[in-house]
Structure formats: C-alpha cells, structure tokens
Amino acid sequence: MMSNLVGIDLGTTYSAISRLDDNGNPEIIDNSEGQNITPSIVSFENESNVIVGNVAMQIYGVDENTFGRFKREMGTDKEYLVFDKKYNPVSLSSFVLKKLKEDCEKNHGAISEAVVTIPANFANEAREATLIAAKTAGLSVKNIINEPTAAALYYAYSSGEELNGIYAIYDLGGGTFDISIIKVKGSDIEVLNSDGVSRLGGDDFDNKLIEIVMKKFKKQTGKELDPEDFTKNDAEIHKKTLSSRDKTKIRISSTKGRVVLEVTKEEFENSISRLIAQTEITCENVLDEIKKSVNDLNEIILVGGSTRMPSIVKSVEKVFKKKPKTFGNPDEAVALGAALYVAYKSDPSNLTPLQKRAISKVNISDVTTKFFGTSVVKMNSEESEGLVQNDILIRKGEKLPCSITKDYATIVENQTRIDCDVTESNVEEKELDFVKKIWEGKLDLPPGRPANQQIKVTFSYDENQTMKCSFVDVESNKKTEINLSLDNENIQTDIDINDFKVD
Ligand code: ADP
Ligand code: MG
C-alpha cells in the first residue's frame, strides 16, 4: 500500500501541512478554504462545534470563546474555560492538528505517518505536550524535528547544489524568534547552536501597531478606542501593507466616532526598533557561544512570515554583514522540510523509488538545546553538612543521540533512600533555585550498608528529542528509570476529540 507521509508545522500563529508526493517532492496542502497556511486559532461555537483557522481568526481577541497563541503555553498547566469545561494548550493544539489532518485527508486519503515540528528551544515538557496533541488528533507521529533543522533540510533539498559550510537559519514568525547555526557538509546537516526569544514575533509587531492606532484615535477624537474597533486581525492586515508600502490608511468607524488615520512605515518601524534590537543581540550571542563570527557563515536563510518585513531584512543584513536569502515562501519551509524528514525516518519499504532518491541526499544530526542534570550533595570538607547542587550530565550542544553516565555515591551509613531528579537549564548552573526540575523520583536502597556506595546515573537523549534517565544502585542493581518521551503520561488532554466537529 502506498503511504501518505506528511510534515506539519504547528506554528504559534500559523500552521501548515505538507505532503511528500510520489516523486519525492514535498508540496504544501491547502486547507479547505484554499489557503496554504492556517491560523492556529480555535473558536468554540458551542459544546461540540469548533472552528479552526481564518474564520476563528476574524473574531480572535474579541470573542471570549476564541483562543490563540497556546503554543506558547505548551507544557504548562494553563487552562482555558469554555462552556463550563476546561481545556489545556494540548487540547487546543489537537484541534488545529485535526483540522490540518482532515483537510489533507479529504483529497489525499488517510495519513499514514506524520512528523510535527517544534522550536529548537522547546523544553522537554513542551515537546511531550506536542506529541500528545498529535496523538489526540489521531495522527501517527513517531518523530518530531526541530523547526530550523526542518528548514535547513528543505533548503538543502531545494537548492539543488551541494551545500558545504556554515549557515544561519533566521526564523521570525508570529510568536517566537529562533536563530540556529547549522553546518552542512555534503549530505550531513548538523545544528551547531540554537538560541531564540520565546515571546517575540509578528504578534508583538501587531500590538505595537495597535498602540499607535489607539494613540492617534485618542488624539483625534479625545476618546479611548475599543479593542473590537481595531482588532488584532485588522492590525495584522495593516502591518502587512507596511511591508510593501510607505504608509497605510486605517478607517475606523465606531460608536465613538468615524476617523481615517494614517500610519507611516517609519512610525511603525520606530515602534518596533527595541524588539528588533533584541533579535540582534541573540544573533550575536548564538555565534559567540560557539566562537564563530559572521565571516564564517556561507548564507543566512530567512524563515517565518515576519521575515517579509523590509526592516527585518535590513536588521539581518546589518548583523551578519551579508544579504540574507529567502527560498520559496518563508512560511512554508518548515512544513516542507518536515515532509522530507518523515520519509527520511520512514521504513524504506514504504517509499517509492523517487521518494527514496529525494532523501538519499540528506543526513541529519541534531544537538541538545538545553543542559540536563541532577541534584547531588556536594560534601563540604570543613563541615559535615553537605551542599545540594545541580550537577550537569548532558550539556547544551551535545550531538544526538548521546548517552552520558556519571558515578555518584551515597553519603551516610545506613542510607535507605536517594532522591532522583532530572533538571533542565538554559545555562550551566549549580544553584538549584535557578534550574527547572522536570522530574522527581526516589530510589530505595538496601539497609545496613556503609556510606559511599556507588550510584550510576545515565541520561540518554535520542535524535527524536526524548530522554531516558536511570539511577542505579550498583551493588544491589536496584534502579529507578524515567522515559521523558511519548510514553510519559504526565501531560494529558481531557478531551475526546471525536466528540467534536472541527471545521
Ligand atoms: P509562526 O510563528 O506561527 O510559525 P509564520 O512563520 O507563519 O508563523 O509567521 C506568521 C507571522 O508572519 C504573522 O505575525 C504574520 O503577520 C507575519 N507576516 C506574514 N506575512 C507578512 C508580511 N507580508 N509582512 C509582515 N508580516 C507578515
Ligand atoms: Mg514558525
């Protein structure tokens, strides 16, 4: 049976789905409204009807049963109350995925396997949450891939020529900014470093435009503008106009008055200059951290809808001292790369000869984007009391897959238990107050032993961005293990998606 392989870019503001055709070319699948990208907005019409996409977007920010930007909350316990029922970011994401899935299946039959992309800087919990959302939507997802890696994969594929050297993938979308440095050598793609600002994107630019409009409205009418009279959707439309024109005219007719305002590109660009400065610092850091300079880069590749803004292109050129490159639609590259990745990961017997050929050109290796450690007691030689500190096992930038084992020891005679935990941090950090505990467990030990018994701790991180951790008491071989992956049921959705009609 022919398989139907798809890649899904589950974006903060827009999502896209792409499919690998029989010739091995990834193609974007339009949604049932005929659009190549679908706003990641979910609107509850009633207890059993949900609308996803453009129609929902038109009332986003105005209607209380319409939600967006939940990708920013993935892995957290944020709740959304609708018709007396609670939803979490995972369930909202699964509605978006269901819409993409159903629209694709209408014309192309059942999806056999999907890859969903995630930001390189997503914490482990958010990665798991994404997998659970996919499962809830009824998608078979065995693999996830970092967004910049997917974009690089598509770039390598579509450029046709053999790539060699170091590339920057600059991704500025609606909700997040990501910058990744990638090494390509022949068919190998390796992510050298990745950084970002998790709450910076086109959304913030829209908000700045709303601020400008509110000020102007107040100045002209003496009254406060109501949010429903100039919505986020309106702001986005005018922001896009300012990407190609020097000014935009905004008509507002509200109960408080009818006015026509004008916002110039210059006013808008001034209002976002501090946000852009933040992206520039992040770009400098990502190179500094791996001791590279802009001269080491072959190309800067633009991804994400906001890179259509001339001021962003200017900023990138200023930082990297080189004209950046765009290939195809910047908001499609991630989904297209993901479709190639499904094939790359899929059993070759499921692929057509041409599909096999398309992926034979690439080989991908990724790195960890966080530090992972565990809390240990460091004995202080002068006092008998120990100091509890974070001890790193897996370092940021470690090539995947990796497995690291460290030896620790029990502290006191007759010790009957050790606390086992897994920590995550963005920087190398000893203070436990500054790291996030992503798991806590215990290991019971046999009684009656002297101090200083060997405890082996192993963290293994695979290409699929999931981690297994084990804590072993060597003498008794007793162990505690945790699989921080798809099998972990810590995060759940409280919905049965089949109870809903999703359009
Ligand atoms: P995501 O962050 O969800 O991955 P995208 O990469 O699709 O999103 O980028 C979406 C953002 O790009 C939105 O904020 C959208 O307004 C913005 N955008 C798209 N086209 C333009 C344009 N022509 N000018 C300015 N911003 C744009
Ligand atoms: Mg994106």
Side-chain angles (χ1 to χ4, degrees):
M1 201 192 72
M2 206 75 277
S3 50
N4 189 11
L5 309 174
V6 303
I8 298 178
D9 172 6
L10 181 60
T12 311
T13 51
Y14 287 90
S15 295
I17 183 165
S18 138
R19 173 179 179 276
L20 200 68
D21 73 13
D22 291 348
N23 298 326
N25 298 316
E27 51 172 11
I28 289 286
I29 305 299
D30 288 352
N31 63 21
S32 55
E33 292 82 51
Q35 299 168 307
N36 62 336
I37 53 175
T38 301
S40 308
I41 313 273
V42 172
S43 179
F44 290 79
E45 278 195 308
N46 52 47
E47 284 93 336
S48 58
N49 261 23
V50 169
I51 302 176
V52 175
N54 224 29
V55 175
M57 182 166 161
Q58 278 156 20
I59 49 172
Y60 176 55
V62 182
D63 175 68
E64 58 172 7
N65 296 327
T66 302
F67 305 95
R69 314 310 182 241
F70 33 83
K71 180 175 174 180
R72 288 176 162 177
E73 313 297 337
M74 285 298 260
T76 70
D77 46 20
K78 181 162 170 114
E79 287 179 335
Y80 303 80
L81 190 68
V82 202
F83 300 120
D84 293 330
K85 258 186 89 178
K86 281 180 193 151
Y87 297 86
N88 59 23
V90 174
S91 33
L92 297 180
S93 300
S94 66
F95 285 119
V96 176
L97 291 169
K98 187 170 188 200
K99 154 91 174 160
L100 298 172
K101 174 180 184 280
E102 288 184 348
D103 284 0
C104 173
E105 289 184 340
K106 259 175 219 162
N107 291 321
H108 300 282
I111 291 170
S112 39
E113 202 182 322
V115 155
V116 180
T117 64
I118 40 154
N121 288 298
F122 245 17
N124 213 56
E125 282 161 335
R127 289 167 191 269
E128 287 167 29
T130 305
L131 284 168
I132 292 160
K135 210 168 152 188
T136 309
L139 286 163
S140 157
V141 174
K142 295 197 198 98
N143 299 284
I144 51 181
I145 181 175
N146 286 335
E147 288 160 11
T149 314
L153 188 53
Y154 182 63
Y155 179 69
Y157 165 86
S158 63
S159 72
E161 59 199 90
E162 179 120 321
L163 303 181
N164 235 327
I166 298 177
Y167 296 77
I169 309 277
Y170 180 105
D171 181 352
L172 187 60
T176 42
F177 168 62
D178 277 301
I179 175 81
S180 300
I181 308 300
I182 274 161
K183 191 170 147 192
V184 186
K185 195 175 158 221
S187 61
D188 290 314
I189 301 174
E190 184 185 341
V191 182
L192 298 178
N193 198 16
S194 199
D195 206 344
V197 188
S198 63
R199 282 167 193 263
L200 198 162
D203 235 13
D204 303 285
F205 306 152
D206 298 342
N207 289 337
K208 289 287 178 195
L209 188 58
I210 291 175
E211 276 175 29
I212 297 175
V213 170
M214 284 176 69
K215 269 197 203 124
K216 292 201 169 191
F217 185 86
K218 179 93 190 266
K219 210 170 161 197
Q220 284 194 21
T221 65
K223 291 173 189 149
E224 298 293 338
L225 180 67
D226 289 327
E228 61 264 32
D229 292 327
F230 188 71
T231 63
K232 276 179 179 296
N233 197 30
D234 298 330
E236 193 183 353
I237 291 166
H238 288 283
K239 174 188 72 176
K240 287 181 181 167
T241 304
L242 289 174
S243 290
S244 54
R245 302 184 75 97
D246 287 339
K247 56 186 180 223
T248 183
K249 277 203 157 60
I250 302 170
R251 258 167 277 272
I252 294 173
S253 63
S254 75
T255 49
K256 296 190 175 158
R258 284 171 162 226
V259 290
V260 178
L261 305 169
E262 193 178 273
V263 179
T264 66
K265 186 186 233 159
E266 200 187 342
E267 287 172 311
F268 173 61
E269 288 185 350
N270 286 338
S271 77
I272 62 169
S273 62
R274 279 183 59 192
L275 296 170
I276 294 183
Q278 246 181 299
T279 63
E280 292 173 354
I281 294 166
T282 311
C283 290
E284 284 159 11
N285 282 344
V286 81
L287 285 170
D288 280 353
E289 276 179 14
I290 50 169
K291 310 216 161 31
K292 297 272 181 221
S293 85
V294 293
N295 300 324
D296 296 319
L297 298 173
N298 285 35
E299 304 278 7
I300 296 93
I301 297 150
L302 299 181
V303 180
S306 295
T307 62
R308 288 209 176 91
M309 290 166 63
S311 52
I312 296 300
V313 179
K314 247 183 267 162
S315 149
V316 175
E317 197 173 338
K318 190 181 90 191
V319 173
F320 293 100
K321 302 188 175 66
K322 204 179 270 156
K323 265 200 169 36
K325 268 205 164 169
T326 316
F327 59 106
N329 282 330
D331 30 27
E332 293 179 351
V334 170
L336 290 164
L340 288 165
Y341 192 65
V342 204
Y344 177 75
K345 283 295 198 179
S346 179
D347 184 340
S349 67
N350 293 332
L351 305 178
T352 68
L354 285 173
Q355 285 177 336
K356 268 184 221 160
R357 208 170 79 187
I359 53 141
S360 67
K361 294 188 214 150
V362 286
N363 191 5
I364 306 149
S365 56
D366 218 335
V367 292
T368 53
T369 54
K370 308 257 182 216
F371 288 90
F372 296 96
T374 188
S375 63
V376 296
V377 180
K378 290 268 161 77
M379 292 308 283
N380 188 329
S381 52
E382 279 142 48
E383 298 160 42
S384 57
E385 221 158 276
L387 182 67
V388 188
Q389 282 192 331
N390 185 45
D391 195 57
I392 305 284
L393 279 105
I394 294 184
R395 304 183 60 81
K396 180 178 170 183
E398 196 81 49
K399 198 167 170 176
L400 302 182
C402 67
S403 182
I404 284 141
T405 301
K406 271 190 156 183
D407 282 323
Y408 300 96
T410 59
I411 310 153
V412 293
E413 200 180 301
N414 248 330
Q415 185 169 336
T416 54
R417 204 183 69 190
I418 54 166
D419 291 328
C420 309
D421 53 33
V422 180
T423 65
E424 179 188 278
S425 55
N426 287 317
V427 291
E428 185 161 13
E429 179 62 65
K430 284 205 168 90
E431 287 284 333
L432 279 163
D433 286 345
F434 299 127
V435 301
K436 196 159 104 190
K437 264 195 192 159
I438 56 174
W439 184 70
E440 276 177 274
K442 295 204 182 323
L443 176 60
D444 288 323
L445 304 172
R449 296 191 303 176
N452 217 13
Q453 298 290 308
Q454 189 187 10
I455 307 288
K456 246 186 203 324
V457 179
T458 303
F459 286 9
S460 308
Y461 207 110
D462 68 16
E463 291 124 313
N464 202 19
Q465 309 281 343
T466 55
M467 188 166 59
K468 278 200 185 78
C469 305
S470 72
F471 299 76
V472 185
D473 175 45
V474 174
E475 192 215 40
S476 68
N477 202 28
K478 285 182 108 178
K479 60 179 111 176
T480 285
E481 283 178 311
I482 174 74
N483 194 354
L484 295 163
S485 73
L486 188 57
D487 307 327
N488 183 5
E489 302 286 324
N490 284 343
I491 309 156
Q492 282 173 342
T493 44
D494 35 12
I495 56 158
D496 182 349
I497 201 142
N498 297 315
D499 292 345
F500 291 87
K501 184 171 168 286
V502 180
D503 319 289

